[in-house]
């Protein structure tokens, strides 16, 4: 199968006659969001809240919902932007922020999170894999530095 034939998973949520199709966020999406200073501050504050709440060890379904509820309450613009980007309609973030209910936004964010991290086995598994890779890189760099010092 060619890369062009691959389609990332999506989910379509129906409300009466209306439909909203969401996809997981890409690294490019995250970089774009982080390039906005207001979004970066909001994300940094939420990461701190996440750490204070116990991080991944405490992140069951109820804790995930509570975290996303806090996201919608504390950073409604960020929540709306995440949903809009996931729907490939970033220009609609303002509409989502002012017209979608909190319950709908939390539901949509849960789907965005699931779609973003499910290929890696979930957020905790992705963090574990990234930590392992970074550890290997760090160990290799350390060995190279030691070998270089010995050889000189």
């Amino acid at each position: 199968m060619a890369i062009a034939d691959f389609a990332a998973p999506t989910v379509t949520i129906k409300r009466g006659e209306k439909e909203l199709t969401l996809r997981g966020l890409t690294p490019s999406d995250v970089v774009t969001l982080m390039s906005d200073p207001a979004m970066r501050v909001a994300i940094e504050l939420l990461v701190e809240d996440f750490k204070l709440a116990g991080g991944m060890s405490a992140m069951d379904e109820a804790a995930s919902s509570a975290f996303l509820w806090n996201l919608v309450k504390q950073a409604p613009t960020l929540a709306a932007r995440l949903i809009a980007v996931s729907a490939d309609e970033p220009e609609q973030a303002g509409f989502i922020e002012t017209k979608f209910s909190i319950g709908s936004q939390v539901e949509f964010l849960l789907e965005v999170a699931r779609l973003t991290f499910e290929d890696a086995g979930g957020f905790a598994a992705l963090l574990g894999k990234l930590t392992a890779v970074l550890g290997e890189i760090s160990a290799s760099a350390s060995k190279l530095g030691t070998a270089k010092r010995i050889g000189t």
Side-chain angles (χ1 to χ4, degrees):
M1 172 167 71
I3 290 176
D5 296 331
F6 180 78
T10 61
V11 65
T12 300
I13 299 171
K14 295 184 180 189
R15 294 281 192 276
E17 302 278 325
K18 309 289 183 189
E19 294 183 347
L20 177 65
T21 300
L22 302 170
R23 61 170 174 79
L25 299 176
T26 66
S28 178
D29 295 332
V30 174
V31 168
T32 299
L33 288 167
M34 292 294 286
S35 68
D36 179 335
M39 295 299 103
R40 187 170 52 250
V41 168
I43 291 169
E44 288 169 356
L45 290 172
L46 288 166
V47 168
E48 285 305 310
D49 283 352
F50 179 73
K51 289 177 185 175
L52 290 173
M56 286 312 304
S57 61
M59 200 52 59
D60 58 11
E61 188 172 335
S64 296
S65 293
F67 177 74
L68 294 173
W69 174 261
N70 282 336
L71 169 62
V72 172
K73 287 191 313 185
Q74 295 176 14
T77 301
L78 174 60
R81 295 238 349 238
L82 290 169
I83 295 165
V85 167
S86 173
D88 291 319
E89 296 185 51
E91 70 284 353
Q92 295 298 321
F95 181 80
I96 291 168
E97 182 178 357
T98 60
K99 302 297 182 190
F100 284 26
S101 71
I102 290 174
S104 289
Q105 289 187 39
V106 169
E107 176 188 355
F108 300 155
L109 287 168
L110 282 168
E111 288 297 337
V112 171
R114 183 183 63 76
L115 291 166
T116 299
F117 301 114
E118 75 179 348
D119 290 346
F123 185 65
L126 176 63
L127 284 181
K129 291 173 187 174
L130 289 173
T131 301
V133 168
L134 292 174
E136 289 291 324
I137 291 170
S138 178
S140 295
S142 179
K143 288 178 187 176
L144 286 174
T146 302
K148 190 174 186 179
R149 284 192 302 271
I150 293 171
T152 53

